[in-house]
PDB file of all heavy atoms in Angstrom:
ATOM      1  N   LYS K 135      49.783-110.196 187.891  1.00 87.00           N
ATOM      2  CA  LYS K 135      50.840-110.461 186.961  1.00 87.00           C
ATOM      3  C   LYS K 135      50.430-111.826 186.178  1.00 87.00           C
ATOM      4  O   LYS K 135      50.129-112.819 186.825  1.00 87.00           O
ATOM      5  CB  LYS K 135      52.236-110.702 187.630  1.00 87.00           C
ATOM      6  CG  LYS K 135      53.367-111.140 186.677  1.00 87.00           C
ATOM      7  CD  LYS K 135      54.609-111.427 187.498  1.00 87.00           C
ATOM      8  CE  LYS K 135      55.659-111.836 186.550  1.00 87.00           C
ATOM      9  NZ  LYS K 135      56.994-112.171 187.301  1.00 87.00           N
ATOM     10  N   GLN K 136      50.542-111.754 184.888  1.00 83.00           N
ATOM     11  CA  GLN K 136      50.214-112.919 184.089  1.00 83.00           C
ATOM     12  C   GLN K 136      51.089-114.091 184.413  1.00 83.00           C
ATOM     13  O   GLN K 136      52.297-113.905 184.461  1.00 83.00           O
ATOM     14  CB  GLN K 136      50.328-112.527 182.613  1.00 83.00           C
ATOM     15  CG  GLN K 136      49.386-111.528 182.168  1.00 83.00           C
ATOM     16  CD  GLN K 136      47.889-111.934 182.042  1.00 83.00           C
ATOM     17  OE1 GLN K 136      47.588-113.169 182.178  1.00 83.00           O
ATOM     18  NE2 GLN K 136      47.018-111.141 181.624  1.00 83.00           N
ATOM     19  N   GLY K 137      50.500-115.249 184.749  1.00 85.00           N
ATOM     20  CA  GLY K 137      51.373-116.436 185.016  1.00 85.00           C
ATOM     21  C   GLY K 137      52.024-116.483 186.396  1.00 85.00           C
ATOM     22  O   GLY K 137      52.911-117.271 186.540  1.00 85.00           O
ATOM     23  N   ALA K 138      51.620-115.586 187.289  1.00 90.00           N
ATOM     24  CA  ALA K 138      52.251-115.609 188.619  1.00 90.00           C
ATOM     25  C   ALA K 138      52.084-116.897 189.326  1.00 90.00           C
ATOM     26  O   ALA K 138      50.992-117.465 189.307  1.00 90.00           O
ATOM     27  CB  ALA K 138      51.714-114.490 189.458  1.00 90.00           C
ATOM     28  N   GLY K 139      53.066-117.487 189.905  1.00 92.00           N
ATOM     29  CA  GLY K 139      52.979-118.675 190.653  1.00 92.00           C
ATOM     30  C   GLY K 139      52.794-118.461 192.142  1.00 92.00           C
ATOM     31  O   GLY K 139      52.749-117.393 192.652  1.00 92.00           O
ATOM     32  N   LEU K 140      52.866-119.589 192.864  1.00 94.00           N
ATOM     33  CA  LEU K 140      52.601-119.503 194.267  1.00 94.00           C
ATOM     34  C   LEU K 140      53.623-118.652 195.047  1.00 94.00           C
ATOM     35  O   LEU K 140      53.298-117.901 195.956  1.00 94.00           O
ATOM     36  CB  LEU K 140      52.539-120.923 194.892  1.00 94.00           C
ATOM     37  CG  LEU K 140      52.390-121.007 196.417  1.00 94.00           C
ATOM     38  CD1 LEU K 140      51.146-120.434 196.888  1.00 94.00           C
ATOM     39  CD2 LEU K 140      52.363-122.594 196.838  1.00 94.00           C
ATOM     40  N   GLU K 141      54.933-118.867 194.627  1.00 94.00           N
ATOM     41  CA  GLU K 141      55.872-118.070 195.385  1.00 94.00           C
ATOM     42  C   GLU K 141      55.741-116.554 195.184  1.00 94.00           C
ATOM     43  O   GLU K 141      55.874-115.907 196.196  1.00 94.00           O
ATOM     44  CB  GLU K 141      57.355-118.514 194.678  1.00 94.00           C
ATOM     45  CG  GLU K 141      58.507-117.875 195.447  1.00 94.00           C
ATOM     46  CD  GLU K 141      59.907-118.397 194.871  1.00 94.00           C
ATOM     47  OE1 GLU K 141      59.880-119.403 194.238  1.00 94.00           O
ATOM     48  OE2 GLU K 141      60.776-117.732 195.269  1.00 94.00           O
ATOM     49  N   GLU K 142      55.417-116.115 193.987  1.00 94.00           N
ATOM     50  CA  GLU K 142      55.204-114.687 193.762  1.00 94.00           C
ATOM     51  C   GLU K 142      53.978-114.244 194.533  1.00 94.00           C
ATOM     52  O   GLU K 142      53.945-113.117 195.126  1.00 94.00           O
ATOM     53  CB  GLU K 142      55.068-114.359 192.257  1.00 94.00           C
ATOM     54  CG  GLU K 142      56.425-114.549 191.530  1.00 94.00           C
ATOM     55  CD  GLU K 142      56.286-114.198 190.077  1.00 94.00           C
ATOM     56  OE1 GLU K 142      55.596-115.029 189.305  1.00 94.00           O
ATOM     57  OE2 GLU K 142      56.756-113.197 189.607  1.00 94.00           O
ATOM     58  N   ILE K 143      52.948-115.092 194.457  1.00 94.00           N
ATOM     59  CA  ILE K 143      51.642-114.657 195.124  1.00 94.00           C
ATOM     60  C   ILE K 143      51.835-114.534 196.618  1.00 94.00           C
ATOM     61  O   ILE K 143      51.453-113.690 197.376  1.00 94.00           O
ATOM     62  CB  ILE K 143      50.547-115.588 194.833  1.00 94.00           C
ATOM     63  CG1 ILE K 143      50.172-115.630 193.433  1.00 94.00           C
ATOM     64  CG2 ILE K 143      49.358-115.412 195.725  1.00 94.00           C
ATOM     65  CD1 ILE K 143      49.333-114.462 192.828  1.00 94.00           C
ATOM     66  N   THR K 144      52.702-115.485 197.186  1.00 95.00           N
ATOM     67  CA  THR K 144      53.090-115.451 198.619  1.00 95.00           C
ATOM     68  C   THR K 144      53.704-114.269 199.064  1.00 95.00           C
ATOM     69  O   THR K 144      53.356-113.721 200.007  1.00 95.00           O
ATOM     70  CB  THR K 144      53.778-116.781 198.963  1.00 95.00           C
ATOM     71  OG1 THR K 144      53.057-117.892 198.663  1.00 95.00           O
ATOM     72  CG2 THR K 144      54.080-116.772 200.470  1.00 95.00           C
ATOM     73  N   LYS K 145      54.765-113.858 198.330  1.00 95.00           N
ATOM     74  CA  LYS K 145      55.521-112.647 198.573  1.00 95.00           C
ATOM     75  C   LYS K 145      54.632-111.402 198.453  1.00 95.00           C
ATOM     76  O   LYS K 145      54.650-110.520 199.354  1.00 95.00           O
ATOM     77  CB  LYS K 145      56.655-112.470 197.488  1.00 95.00           C
ATOM     78  CG  LYS K 145      57.760-113.569 197.814  1.00 95.00           C
ATOM     79  CD  LYS K 145      58.865-113.297 196.778  1.00 95.00           C
ATOM     80  CE  LYS K 145      60.049-114.292 197.006  1.00 95.00           C
ATOM     81  NZ  LYS K 145      61.122-114.200 196.063  1.00 95.00           N
ATOM     82  N   ALA K 146      53.726-111.325 197.452  1.00 93.00           N
ATOM     83  CA  ALA K 146      52.803-110.231 197.241  1.00 93.00           C
ATOM     84  C   ALA K 146      51.832-110.133 198.372  1.00 93.00           C
ATOM     85  O   ALA K 146      51.535-109.000 198.898  1.00 93.00           O
ATOM     86  CB  ALA K 146      52.136-110.394 195.883  1.00 93.00           C
TER      87      ALA K 146
END
Side-chain angles (χ1 to χ4, degrees):
K135 179 184 175 183
Q136 297 288 354
L140 176 58
E141 185 177 345
E142 288 181 294
I143 293 289
T144 301
K145 290 179 180 178

